[in-house]
Amino acid sequence: MPARNIKGNVQAQDKILYVANKLGLSSLKYMQATTRVIYDQSVTTTTQHTLFEGAAARSFPLTNLGANGNQFQVDEALLVEQIGFFIPDGTDGENYNGLSAGESVKFDLIIGNKTVIKDVVVELGGQQAFYNDGAQASSIITLEGVGILIPPQVEFKVVAKPLVFNTRAAKAVRLGCYLFGTGVLLNFNTSI
């Protein structure tokens, strides 16, 4: 098998350009992308949450995804660069707190039928939390330099299990998840 000729490092945004080129959108590299944050939350106290799945049935402020739920429209994509978790403090979804010192979350990110992140543990100020906002420890994982692309019209979800920090025993809490990243609108000249 011949060796592949790779010139330089692949940037996270190159993934968006690759998908756009496969869809016939060679002009995307000249367009302006935007920062996008999507979130969903489960206000039921339980030991396992499937977030983003079924989001079309929930309204703001429980989620900000809208009628399309857990898949983007034909002209949208999201390059996920950070994943964060929070604890809703009530069933209305209006207020929330970060993870406390005694909590952690083990999660999978599933896009289509592929698990693209498996059994990653995020904890308050833990090894995976590279972001620090002043004196506040964070429960955000940064996918620095790689990113994970959620393409148009492909369902995605996060399966998360809250845990007790020191024993890793299951813990029943409400849970929410943010996906932060670069969002693009893929403007097609022709329909696909």
Side-chain angles (χ1 to χ4, degrees), residues 92-114:
D92 59 6
E94 293 180 4
N95 296 306
Y96 61 89
N97 300 303
L99 298 179
S100 72
E103 298 165 329
S104 60
V105 177
K106 182 170 83 170
F107 75 96
D108 300 340
L109 173 60
I110 301 163
I111 301 174
N113 61 357
K114 305 284 187 201

Side-chain angles (χ1 to χ4, degrees), residues 134-148:
Q136 295 297 317
S138 172
S139 50
I140 296 174
I141 184 170
T142 301
L143 306 170
E144 189 171 335
V146 289
I148 294 174

Side-chain angles (χ1 to χ4, degrees), residues 51-69:
L51 300 160
F52 299 104
E53 187 174 64
R58 292 184 289 281
S59 60
F60 184 81
L62 296 175
T63 186
N64 69 345
L65 287 176
N68 290 322

